[in-house]
């Protein structure tokens, strides 16, 4: 029998990605993943934390409170060395409007326009939380380090992918296939780590 697990996100790509990782790690149909679109009246939960971990926990705790289901939530973004780790938790709304990927990316490029190549390091970071109805909480983090290019390259991915060249890579994250990106990305790493915790906390029925 499969155990039900909520991924507290409206982002369908995250749902597909976590389901794929859980199926690979734990066997197909071991976990039945549901998203927020399965709960029509679910409100927008403000991400008021100042760290990725705080925001992931806020979203996961709210999921348990509203649905009674074990809940996973993640929060992610890009930390640019020359901007002291920003945009960080403000990555989705860096240029002012939530989810305006093109404006967010252009603003970061402009802000570090005069930073030389040696100082254009950065990292994608993902915190992923699992909160259980019995109150137990787990938090893991995944990172992909690399550097920020001066121009976009590639059409895949989303967000800041076209200007991010991961360490050891010759292609930007936007030039990788989804499976190639999962294998090295911050979210792929965090979700694979969380899959081990989920296996222990939600034993096969
Ligand atoms: P939630 O409903 O789960 O909050 P979201 O799409 O708002 O979904 P996040 O808050 O985790 O997702 O993402 C914040 C921003 O960080 C996102 O809008 C991108 O700009 C950036 N980001 C996160 N992961 C990324 C990735 O893999 N590639 C490129 N940009 C990414």
């Amino acid at each position: 029998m499969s155990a039900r697990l909520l991924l507290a996100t409206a982002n369908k790509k995250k749902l597909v990605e976590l389901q794929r990782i859980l199926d690979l790690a734990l066997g197909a149909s071991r976990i039945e993943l549901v998203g927020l679109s399965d709960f029509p009246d679910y409100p927008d939960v403000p991400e008021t934390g100042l760290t990725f971990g705080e925001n992931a926990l806020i979203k996961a705790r709210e999921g348990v409170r509203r649905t009674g289901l074990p809940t996973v939530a993640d929060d992610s973004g890009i930390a640019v060395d020359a901007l002291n780790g920003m945009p960080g938790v403000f990555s989705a709304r860096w240029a002012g409007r939530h989810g305006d990927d093109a404006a967010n990316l252009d603003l970061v490029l402009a802000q570090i326009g005069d930073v030389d190549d040696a100082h254009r390091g950065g990292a994608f970071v993902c915190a992923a939380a699992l909160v259980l109805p019995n109150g137990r909480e787990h938090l893991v983090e995944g990172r992909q380090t690399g550097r920020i290019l001066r121009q976009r390259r590639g059409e895949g991915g989303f967000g800041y992918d076209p200007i991010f060249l991961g360490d050891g890579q010759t292609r930007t994250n936007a030039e990788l296939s989804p499976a190639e990106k999962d294998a090295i990305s911050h979210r792929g790493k965090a979700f694979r780590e969380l899959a081990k915790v989920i296996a222990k906390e939600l034993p096969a029925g």
Side-chain angles (χ1 to χ4, degrees), residues 2 30 104 114 118 189 202:
S2 59
R30 195 26 195 87
N104 291 336
D114 64 352
K189 288 176 189 163
L202 302 180

Side-chain angles (χ1 to χ4, degrees), residues 8-11 14 47 59 74-78 88-89 91-93 98-99 101 104 124-125 157-161 173 181 185-187:
T9 183
N11 183 331
K14 286 186 183 176
E47 298 179 18
K59 292 191 263 188
D74 84 303
D75 194 40
S76 55
I78 193 165
V89 292
S91 292
R93 49 195 145 125
H98 190 103
D101 282 3
N104 291 336
F124 277 122
V125 184
F158 69 100
Y160 302 88
D161 280 336
N173 277 17
K181 184 181 158 186
S185 80
H186 52 315
R187 198 166 16 262

Side-chain angles (χ1 to χ4, degrees), residues 40-169:
D41 296 328
Y42 202 94
D44 215 26
V45 179
E47 298 179 18
T48 52
L50 289 182
T51 65
F52 295 113
E54 277 169 25
N55 280 337
L57 282 167
I58 287 170
K59 292 191 263 188
R61 287 175 187 145
E62 195 63 16
V64 174
R65 206 170 70 77
R66 294 195 173 268
T67 69
L69 290 173
T71 302
V72 167
D74 84 303
D75 194 40
S76 55
I78 193 165
V80 176
D81 295 348
L83 296 177
N84 247 329
M86 301 306 267
V89 292
F90 305 110
S91 292
R93 49 195 145 125
W94 192 234
R97 212 156 51 89
H98 190 103
D100 190 340
D101 282 3
N104 291 336
L105 183 157
D106 283 339
L107 182 54
V108 167
L109 280 185
Q111 285 168 323
I112 62 169
D114 64 352
V115 174
D116 58 40
D117 288 350
H119 297 105
R120 295 180 69 94
F124 277 122
V125 184
C126 172
L130 169 68
V131 176
L132 300 162
N134 66 12
R136 284 165 69 90
E137 298 186 344
H138 300 269
L139 188 62
V140 300
E141 192 179 278
R143 272 175 185 268
Q144 183 191 13
T145 54
R147 61 196 184 86
I148 317 302
L149 301 183
R150 294 182 185 278
Q151 266 145 15
R152 293 171 163 73
R153 265 170 46 190
E155 304 295 325
F158 69 100
Y160 302 88
D161 280 336
I163 54 167
F164 188 83
L165 185 67
D167 286 339
Q169 301 294 313

Side-chain angles (χ1 to χ4, degrees), residues 1-4 26-31 198-205:
M1 213 180 75
S2 59
R4 276 183 105 206
L26 313 179
S29 322
R30 195 26 195 87
I31 301 288
I198 290 168
K200 285 192 194 130
E201 288 286 17
L202 302 180

Side-chain angles (χ1 to χ4, degrees), residues 23-42:
D23 287 351
L24 264 177
L26 313 179
S29 322
R30 195 26 195 87
I31 301 288
E32 182 200 342
L33 204 57
V34 295
L36 292 184
S37 53
D38 292 292
F39 298 89
D41 296 328
Y42 202 94

